[in-house]
Amino acid sequence: MAKVRRAKEKPGGLYGDQGLYRVVEAVEESPQSEARQLQGARGLFLTAVMDAAVAALDDQPASARPELIEVLSEFFFDTVLTRAIVSPDSGEDNAQLHARDGEVLSRLLLAHLADHGLDLVEASAGTGELHALPDRHTGVGRPSLRDEESDAPAELIERVLAVCEQHYAAVTGTTSEQWDQKSSQELVDIALRTVHLAEPETYPQTLDAYLHEHRARLERLWRRYGPGGMFAGELVLIDLPGSFVLCERIETTPLWLEGIWTKRGQEETALERLHGSWLYDTGEGEGR
């Protein structure tokens, strides 16, 4: 600031006593300044979120499961994560916030899970058997997510596969005699492992609407990578109707799908190529 004033606040100067402007702040610009500013902005934003959460917490009735809040609060409060997301330079004014951030984060986590129709699960001592925690409204236990290690319900797989086959036949002009049914079922099962708890029953309709909406993109994908296309043979998954459900999951839950795909021992390159082709090579631009 002193350096700026010495350079600019000379008699008759633009920033002098008789000038149009007065220097009120000076900021040094450097390659590191943008990162610092972003960090500061994130700190202010997250602190504002936590302040609002504390205010809301004071207005809420006591939790139906105080022991769960207590356990989660202890976890959040004792981790570096808690201190990292709240601005460390907020000073003594936020001492109360820091003292309650564990409880606040616990409430935010539980509210987020409830919004997605999910619940935490607990393991029985000794056996490791998982049990759903009772729903605080009904008292009835329900699982947090379908077990990623178990197969999807056969009836649901068939419904989703039927949607894929209907659209695949319309796009490609092929018939069921040309498809590998077992491989397609495997793709559908993997895709369904990334569907949230509240969605399985409605997912076939969701997928059907998505494939209708993106019919032109699917046709472009087939023209480029199907038999006779310019890049025929580059997408091994394009030969399976089940690839269509992967396209929807790639756009909806890409990281989750990638994790399940790898865990199931599938060829990573196959999904990576479909991912890139579907997202970046099916537009309406020239040559696509």
Side-chain angles (χ1 to χ4, degrees):
M1 188 68 129
K3 184 177 180 181
V4 172
R5 282 178 175 150
R6 283 196 301 271
K8 302 297 183 181
E9 291 187 350
K10 52 189 177 182
L14 185 63
Y15 298 96
D17 293 337
Q18 303 302 318
L20 296 176
Y21 304 103
R22 180 169 58 90
V23 177
V24 295
E25 182 180 5
V27 179
E28 178 185 2
E29 292 295 336
S30 69
Q32 293 76 32
S33 62
E34 182 179 1
R36 276 201 313 274
Q37 292 168 12
L38 288 174
Q39 182 179 10
R42 283 194 297 268
L44 290 173
F45 172 73
L46 290 169
T47 299
V49 170
M50 295 295 286
D51 282 329
V54 168
L57 186 63
D58 290 334
D59 294 334
Q60 291 180 356
S63 170
R65 291 186 60 83
E67 72 281 4
L68 183 56
I69 293 291
E70 182 178 351
V71 170
L72 290 174
S73 296
E74 182 179 357
F75 167 75
F76 281 121
F77 190 77
D78 288 343
T79 60
V80 177
L81 173 62
T82 299
R83 290 291 175 252
I85 72 166
V86 180
S87 174
D89 300 323
S90 53
E92 296 181 0
D93 291 341
N94 276 331
Q96 181 181 6
L97 170 63
H98 288 322
R100 302 185 63 189
D101 56 8
E103 184 177 2
V104 170
L105 288 172
S106 300
R107 293 291 184 91
L108 289 176
L109 172 61
L110 293 176
H112 182 70
L113 292 176
D115 186 57
H116 287 278
L118 308 177
D119 281 322
L120 299 180
V121 296
E122 58 186 353
S124 298
T127 65
E129 182 181 357
L130 294 177
H131 299 282
L133 295 173
D135 184 279
R136 63 179 179 178
H137 299 297
T138 65
V140 178
R142 51 191 173 93
S144 58
L145 286 173
R146 184 174 61 79
D147 185 359
E148 294 176 354
E149 299 300 328
S150 63
D151 293 334
E155 187 269 340
L156 181 59
I157 291 179
E158 291 301 323
R159 288 173 59 197
V160 171
L161 184 57
V163 172
C164 291
E165 290 177 344
Q166 175 187 353
H167 287 272
Y168 191 81
V171 168
T172 67
T174 60
T175 62
S176 58
E177 289 77 16
Q178 300 169 262
W179 307 332
D180 185 337
Q181 188 83 1
K182 184 176 180 181
S183 295
S184 275
Q185 287 178 336
E186 187 174 6
L187 295 185
V188 171
D189 179 59
I190 291 174
L192 286 174
R193 295 169 191 272
T194 68
V195 175
H196 288 287
L197 175 69
E199 299 176 4
E201 291 304 315
T202 60
Y203 182 69
Q205 291 81 6
T206 300
L207 176 63
D208 183 56
Y210 178 88
L211 297 180
H212 270 298
E213 180 183 356
H214 297 283
R215 171 64 62 82
R217 288 177 63 190
L218 292 167
E219 291 174 347
R220 284 191 286 271
L221 187 72
W222 177 256
R223 285 199 300 269
R224 289 175 69 81
Y225 295 98
M230 183 181 300
F231 303 104
E234 289 195 12
L235 291 183
V236 295
L237 297 176
I238 197 67
D239 295 330
L240 300 171
S243 63
F244 279 17
V245 69
L246 293 181
C247 290
E248 189 278 330
R249 291 286 89 189
I250 283 171
E251 200 154 42
T252 306
T253 58
L255 296 180
W256 196 358
L257 176 63
E258 181 182 345
I260 299 298
W261 185 267
T262 302
K263 183 184 294 186
R264 297 287 290 181
Q266 299 292 324
E267 173 56 48
E268 295 182 24
T269 304
L271 183 63
E272 289 174 359
R273 289 180 175 173
L274 180 61
H275 181 281
S277 299
W278 178 243
L279 294 184
Y280 310 116
D281 202 23
T282 58
E284 297 179 354
E286 184 177 353
R288 293 191 174 185

